[in-house]
Amino acid sequence: TSKAALLATRSPFGNRRRVASAKPVMTVPKRLVTKCVAAPRKTSQLEQLSQWTVIVEDTGDFEKIRAHSPQDATTNPSLVYQASQLPQYQHLVEEAIAYGKAKGKTTEDRVRHAMDKIACLFGREISKAVPGYVSTEVDARLSFDTNASIEKAHQLLAIYEEMGVPRDRVLIKLASTWEMFEACKQLESEGVKTNMTLLFSMSQAVRAAEVKATLISPFVGRILDWYKKSTGKQEYAPEEDPGVLSVRSIYDYYKCHGIDTIIMGASFRNVGQIQMLAGCDRLTISPALIDELAASEEKLERQLSPEAARECGVPFQAMDEKTFRWMLNSDPMASEKLAEGIRGFTADIEKLEAYFAASMHVVLP
């Protein structure tokens, strides 16, 4: 390096040489240095809820299921009927029609086989989008026929297995009548997993536990609907919502007595109901409410825990047929909503039947 490029300098810190072009550097005292720490990422209420509760999506639209990535998914005849009308699923309808024509010997048989196939086709597609259970419902018109419901469950499972879906991925949904609890008892003894749906009362929950149902679906929103109509009161705070209180009482009973049956709250009308059941085993939630939970970053508090429930001291109950029928009959909300639910699912089954009959150019009697 040439001498011209260097300057001898004198400074209070002694004689030093430096590059002439170098710029003075200011040293900042350490006490003035602050670290730049990124603010912690806020978690959505959906993420917070999933810390304590398994999220299940309640829809027949498996494109929405793929978008949300829940653990399980549930369907019912109403959801299957609605999804069957969507253009993006017409290839499944066509596959079901072809299956019905190949399997059935009479026009009624062809439609029946097509109906079973479409339910399982939607279930198969859903099983590709979730790692856990897929629920498929037995024809609601069989809700008072134990043997016919068992036979239908076997038929649905056979179709699933033909398509490569193992039976342990499938929950057979049965309405919570006495006869269906008898069907549940038999199916569970065979290793078939069941989901007792249209459940509105403690009597149904107790019987479900006795027959060792895998899972129950107490209907929060439909209970609220009944109370609104019955009392004329249109606004309920989340903590006094009768549907929420029903599920909480069932949760306390199950956890207090060490019952393994999974409690999956269902049929929600608003996110407040879901928030008040944070900590329940599972909650099956519509896509719209899942989106609402995902959009909120407000803090969510856990409301239910096994530890707290074990301290509640709820007395154990036994439920024979006479007691069950009397308790259900004595509860106007539960008996009316059960009957209404069966009628509603039946109406949608008949709509789907008519749709398939028209598509297959057959006339049903």
Side-chain angles (χ1 to χ4, degrees):
T1 307
S2 67
K3 292 183 179 180
L6 299 174
L7 288 175
T9 62
R10 183 178 296 276
S11 76
F13 304 104
N15 292 332
R16 294 184 183 174
R17 283 189 170 185
R18 62 188 175 110
V19 178
S21 59
K23 295 180 180 179
V25 177
M26 183 174 68
T27 304
V28 179
K30 290 183 178 179
R31 68 178 180 275
L32 299 181
V33 177
T34 58
K35 292 183 178 180
C36 294
V37 180
R41 186 181 74 85
K42 291 184 178 180
T43 56
S44 71
Q45 288 200 337
L46 185 65
E47 291 173 298
Q48 294 175 63
L49 179 63
S50 66
Q51 296 174 46
W52 318 300
T53 294
V54 173
I55 307 299
V56 180
E57 191 146 8
D58 194 21
T59 181
D61 187 343
F62 44 83
E63 295 300 332
K64 291 181 178 177
I65 293 171
R66 288 194 183 102
H68 291 136
S69 302
Q71 173 68 20
D72 302 339
T74 57
T75 62
N76 60 43
S78 303
L79 296 175
V80 170
Y81 173 71
Q82 292 164 17
S84 296
Q85 311 306 300
L86 299 176
Q88 63 264 39
Y89 301 137
Q90 288 310 296
H91 65 289
L92 298 180
V93 172
E94 292 169 5
E95 185 176 345
I97 289 171
Y99 181 87
K101 288 179 177 178
K103 287 284 187 179
K105 295 182 179 179
T106 66
T107 56
E108 293 88 348
D109 277 349
R110 294 186 190 106
V111 171
R112 177 176 58 80
H113 283 295
M115 294 278 288
D116 290 347
K117 184 69 171 182
I118 194 65
C120 295
L121 283 169
F122 275 103
R124 180 194 68 186
E125 295 306 308
I126 291 170
S127 75
K128 297 175 183 177
V130 300
Y133 293 129
V134 174
S135 289
T136 299
E137 194 148 348
V138 164
D139 191 327
R141 293 169 297 188
L142 303 178
S143 295
F144 301 97
D145 190 330
T146 299
N147 292 332
S149 292
I150 293 171
E151 182 180 358
K152 177 61 68 178
H154 290 158
Q155 291 167 356
L156 293 171
L157 290 170
I159 295 172
Y160 269 118
E161 289 178 329
E162 285 173 3
M163 297 189 298
V165 180
R167 64 172 52 202
D168 62 4
R169 292 284 312 280
V170 180
L171 291 175
I172 295 296
K173 287 180 77 173
L174 303 164
S176 294
T177 64
W178 179 265
E179 291 80 5
M180 293 303 92
F181 285 123
E182 292 299 289
C184 169
K185 184 178 181 180
Q186 176 60 35
L187 290 168
E188 290 283 353
S189 73
E190 299 171 6
V192 175
K193 299 180 186 299
T194 58
N195 172 353
M196 300 309 297
T197 189
L198 295 175
L199 193 144
F200 303 97
S201 69
M202 182 61 77
S203 58
Q204 293 168 303
V206 170
R207 185 58 184 161
E210 288 182 340
V211 298
K212 302 188 184 307
T214 298
L215 181 148
I216 61 170
S217 298
F219 276 38
V220 178
R222 295 196 192 193
I223 293 175
L224 176 63
D225 294 344
W226 188 92
Y227 277 93
K228 283 184 173 182
K229 184 177 179 180
S230 175
T231 66
K233 181 179 177 179
Q234 295 305 303
E235 297 296 330
Y236 284 84
E239 63 271 13
E240 64 178 16
D241 185 305
V244 168
L245 295 177
S246 177
V247 175
R248 291 175 73 110
S249 65
I250 292 168
Y251 182 92
D252 286 347
Y253 180 83
Y254 274 25
K255 303 311 177 188
C256 184
H257 296 290
I259 293 166
D260 292 331
T261 296
I262 297 165
I263 305 163
M264 183 176 73
S267 172
F268 292 105
R269 298 292 181 258
N270 55 68
V271 292
Q273 294 176 323
I274 297 167
Q275 292 162 346
M276 290 306 297
L277 292 174
C280 190
D281 300 338
R282 281 170 164 76
L283 297 175
T284 182
I285 308 171
S286 68
L289 292 179
I290 285 180
D291 287 337
E292 194 171 339
L293 288 165
S296 173
E297 293 181 342
E298 292 184 15
K299 184 172 176 56
L300 184 64
E301 299 289 344
R302 183 170 190 170
Q303 301 294 326
L304 304 178
S305 71
E307 295 78 17
R310 291 189 194 107
E311 303 299 323
C312 68
V314 181
F316 184 79
Q317 298 183 52
M319 195 63 58
D320 60 16
E321 182 176 358
K322 289 183 291 185
T323 304
F324 174 85
R325 294 192 186 279
W326 177 252
M327 287 182 67
L328 188 60
N329 182 70
S330 300
D331 185 337
M333 179 277 295
S335 55
E336 289 172 21
K337 296 307 288 186
L338 174 60
E340 179 184 274
I342 291 171
R343 289 195 301 269
F345 285 161
T346 295
D348 284 324
I349 289 168
E350 290 174 347
K351 286 179 190 175
L352 192 57
E353 273 187 341
Y355 174 68
F356 272 109
S359 300
M360 297 169 77
H361 307 294
V362 300
V363 177
L364 292 173

